[in-house]
Amino acid sequence: MIELSGVTKRYPGGHEALSDVSLTIEQGELVFLTGHSGAGKSTLLKLVAAIERPTVGHVIVNSQNVGRMKRPALPFFRRNIGLIFQDHKLLYDRNVFDNVLLPLHIQGLTGNDAAKRVRAALDKVGLLKKEKARPITLSGGEQQRLCIARAIVSRPALVLADEPTANLDDAYAKDIMDMFRAFNEVGVTLLISTHDQDLIRRYGGRNVQLAYGKLV
Amino acid sequence: MRAWLTHHLHSLKIAAQRFFDAPVASLFTILVIGVAVAMPTGLYLLLSNLDRAAGDIKPQAEITVFLKTELGEAQGKALANTLASQADIASVRFVSKSEGIEKLESAGLSDIAAGLPDNPLPHALVVTPKDTTPPALEALGSRLRQAPEAERVLMDTDWIKRLAALMGLGRDLVFMLSIMLGLALAAITANTIRLQIYAQRDEIEVARLIGATDRFIRRPFLYFGGIQGTRRRPDRRRPGRRRRPSGSQRRACGVRLWRPVRAGRPVRRRPHAAAGPERHSRLARRLFRRRPGLAASGKHLTQSSSSRVQ
């Protein structure tokens, strides 16, 4: 599913976020990406989602070389990936329903089919009753769940989550991790970055640890 | 195909919404566009009206031919007849010596006329040409000048020439102004849309990450430009008539008047704006409520006029 071979990412200015990382993730795996802040977790996720390109090496996702992908092909590649952000990146000018509708809309899905899928996704994250609410009125945990609903509504085979539980208390974090496990059980590949060691011990997926841009 | 159409419709809707969400900014842009379009149009209108006014005067263009003093009245009249039969001459009027002196006297120069020992004026012919365009007049004038009977030919075409030159200059000016204002218009619209893009940065970023194509993202902005272009037309066509704002306009007036744009930081919509139109409907209603006083005075007017008819 995901294959990194000899990947180095150097940002302009000379800072090397990842150096010579090789990693393979199979389909249906639940992988935790851990490490101190600045270890290169976010950079790795960005490389997989084709937000950044590797300086050296190959990133292959779904047997596509992401590093060499042409710009017009990028949107179609990203539609197969669900992205969950630490800062949610919700749109505050529309309600919960429309936020989740956006990915479907982008893919050209409209009308009843789209509405059904949006409600199914909202139901999964427990926000069905708040579909008319504005994201700004939701709590932090709810906003994170809304972000998850938006990531899974187009039924991607791969979900990338960047510190999804960083700003949440334990109860909310547990909620969200349960959700992730449920997705994993139906065959979704999950790559979750976190610095919460407790969480990994409790859920026990594969743990990939990064330190100063290198695999440990 | 249907998905594509609904998508376009959606883009249009978004664009319209953005337009009415920032009514003051939109209004100013429309104002600028309106002025930029109205100025050359107005000037052109003025010019074409002047042209028409000048066209009304042109048929009166006359050429006065003073005959040589030795020629008698009979010879003058004969010349008038031969000239009148020529193709490019509409009519010829013979003005005799005595008529000329009478005119001079009636023009208030009787003292001078009385002081003269005898009539020094020659006979004259007033020629009205058929074609009053400057080149045709010029040709006729030079032909008359070459006639052996003619002493002097006076043409009042000079001012026509000058007018034509002025008109040409005016037309060139209008043309140049139109080009410049057109460029300004494109720049203004581009700038407004650039500001829009700046304000919608969050949305563009999210859409990109979710897998929107560039075209998908661009479409609402293009529609926004289109709306700006078309919105001014109904307002300009009926300048005297004030329309009651539509529901969305009324609602829009209550929403934030301007959107703060801080350099270097992503602009996020203010939370209070997110509360939706319901929050502002009360304010809008207060703003646009019909004034009872005005309504009463209107009723009074209609009543008095109808009673007068009876």
Side-chain angles (χ1 to χ4, degrees):
Chain A
M1 186 90 193
I2 302 173
E3 199 184 323
L4 280 79
S5 48
V7 171
T8 297
K9 174 67 190 177
R10 207 173 291 121
Y11 282 109
H15 172 65
E16 200 165 283
L18 286 178
S19 42
D20 198 22
V21 172
S22 296
L23 176 71
T24 308
I25 295 170
E26 299 298 330
Q27 184 143 16
E29 262 191 289
L30 170 62
V31 178
F32 289 102
L33 204 58
T34 56
H36 60 91
S37 66
K41 302 185 298 270
S42 294
T43 304
L44 202 150
L45 288 178
K46 279 179 187 166
L47 288 173
V48 173
I51 297 167
E52 301 278 1
R53 286 167 195 263
T55 319
V56 182
H58 297 293
V59 178
I60 292 162
V61 180
N62 277 335
S63 59
Q64 280 179 293
N65 190 336
V66 174
R68 296 258 178 83
M69 205 173 273
K70 292 215 169 67
R71 202 183 141 87
L74 280 178
F76 301 97
F77 167 75
R78 287 206 188 118
R79 288 176 195 181
N80 299 318
I81 301 177
L83 287 171
I84 297 161
F85 309 96
Q86 186 180 352
D87 58 349
H88 322 315
K89 292 205 193 302
L90 299 171
L91 297 176
Y92 294 97
D93 61 341
R94 58 196 76 187
N95 63 25
V96 166
F97 185 90
D98 288 341
N99 262 285
V100 181
L101 183 65
L102 187 66
L104 297 180
H105 196 103
I106 284 168
Q107 294 179 26
L109 202 66
T110 49
N112 266 338
D113 296 345
K116 259 183 223 159
R117 278 174 69 167
V118 169
R119 295 218 167 85
L122 284 175
D123 193 25
K124 249 181 222 156
V125 300
L127 283 176
L128 195 53
K129 280 185 184 152
K130 300 216 169 178
E131 66 167 56
K132 290 253 163 56
R134 297 267 169 174
I136 203 79
T137 62
L138 301 180
S139 71
E142 284 171 329
Q143 289 193 15
Q144 191 57 271
R145 280 188 278 158
L146 177 55
C147 184
I148 292 168
R150 190 179 62 187
I152 59 159
V153 73
S154 55
R155 296 177 191 152
L158 172 65
V159 171
L160 308 176
D162 191 6
E163 306 261 7
T165 58
N167 303 323
L168 304 177
D169 61 31
D170 275 357
Y172 275 135
K174 191 180 168 302
D175 256 19
I176 281 165
M177 288 312 299
D178 285 341
M179 230 177 273
F180 282 148
R181 200 152 62 174
F183 298 148
N184 185 234
E185 275 160 11
V186 294
V188 176
T189 312
L190 280 148
L191 181 55
I192 301 161
S193 87
T194 179
H195 57 252
D196 190 351
Q197 295 288 341
D198 248 21
L199 208 75
I200 303 156
R201 234 168 282 136
R202 247 185 287 158
Y203 285 89
R206 179 178 161 198
N207 186 359
V208 173
Q209 204 172 351
L210 281 169
Y212 301 103
K214 291 195 167 92
L215 283 179
V216 177
Chain B
M1 182 68 194
R2 240 185 90 196
W4 183 81
L5 266 180
T6 44
H7 177 192
H8 266 268
L9 215 68
H10 184 78
S11 301
L12 187 64
K13 219 173 78 187
I14 289 175
Q17 213 170 2
R18 281 181 197 163
F19 185 86
F20 291 119
D21 272 0
V24 174
S26 303
L27 205 79
F28 272 111
T29 317
I30 289 170
L31 202 71
V32 170
I33 294 173
V35 170
V37 174
M39 234 155 81
T41 318
L43 275 176
Y44 181 76
L45 216 69
L46 188 81
L47 212 68
S48 66
N49 276 336
L50 262 179
D51 211 18
R52 205 178 301 159
D56 285 346
I57 306 167
K58 264 180 207 163
Q60 294 174 2
E62 288 169 344
I63 302 174
T64 313
V65 183
F66 293 104
L67 302 177
K68 288 187 171 143
T69 35
E70 60 265 28
L71 288 177
E73 195 167 331
Q75 278 166 302
K77 276 186 176 158
L79 183 62
N81 283 335
T82 48
L83 281 178
S85 63
Q86 278 176 18
D88 53 352
I89 291 171
S91 66
V92 179
R93 191 156 53 85
F94 178 78
V95 182
S96 66
K97 268 184 190 187
S98 47
E99 260 179 89
I101 204 87
E102 266 169 38
K103 262 193 190 165
L104 211 64
E105 275 166 7
S106 65
L109 298 168
S110 49
D111 292 349
I112 298 168
L116 293 168
D118 58 17
N119 190 349
L121 295 176
H123 295 299
L125 299 177
V126 178
V127 177
T128 309
K130 262 183 191 151
D131 190 355
T132 53
T133 55
L137 281 176
E138 200 59 53
L140 182 61
S142 61
R143 214 177 67 228
L144 289 173
R145 238 176 245 125
Q146 277 157 15
E149 297 92 341
E151 172 74 43
R152 219 175 143 211
V153 177
L154 269 187
M155 293 203 293
D156 38 8
T157 58
D158 287 355
W159 69 269
I160 291 179
K161 255 192 259 170
R162 234 169 274 148
L163 189 70
L166 266 176
M167 288 301 207
L169 185 73
R171 211 162 281 137
D172 286 352
L173 270 176
V174 168
F175 184 65
M176 270 164 61
L177 200 71
S178 314
I179 288 178
M180 271 159 68
L181 285 171
L183 281 176
L185 209 65
I188 289 159
T189 311
N191 199 42
T192 321
I193 297 211
R194 211 178 56 82
L195 279 176
Q196 266 279 318
I197 289 171
Y198 197 78
Q200 308 288 331
R201 256 180 11 179
D202 283 1
E203 189 182 338
I204 292 169
E205 188 197 346
V206 170
R208 271 245 167 85
L209 289 175
I210 288 174
T213 54
D214 288 349
R215 250 189 279 171
F216 179 93
I217 294 168
R218 213 178 288 137
R219 209 162 285 144
F221 292 101
L222 293 178
Y223 273 120
F224 186 81
I227 289 175
Q228 264 186 350
T230 48
R231 269 301 297 170
R232 64 159 202 279
R233 224 174 281 146
D235 298 341
R236 229 159 47 81
R237 221 185 280 155
R238 278 168 269 147
R241 196 168 141 204
R242 260 184 64 191
R243 285 183 306 164
R244 189 159 183 259
S246 69
S248 57
Q249 275 173 315
R250 265 176 285 148
R251 248 174 278 129
C253 282
V255 187
R256 82 203 94 90
L257 292 178
W258 56 280
R259 195 178 294 147
V261 177
R262 265 174 259 121
R265 284 172 70 184
V267 177
R268 195 156 278 174
R269 291 197 170 196
R270 292 212 153 167
H272 73 256
E278 301 81 13
R279 190 181 169 281
H280 305 288
S281 58
R282 203 156 31 118
L283 177 68
R285 227 177 293 137
R286 204 166 32 176
L287 274 172
F288 288 97
R289 192 170 43 196
R290 290 215 170 127
R291 298 264 168 81
L294 270 176
S297 65
K299 208 181 285 170
H300 158 76
L301 278 174
T302 50
Q303 273 172 356
S304 66
S305 65
S306 61
S307 63
R308 217 177 293 143
V309 171
Q310 284 162 357

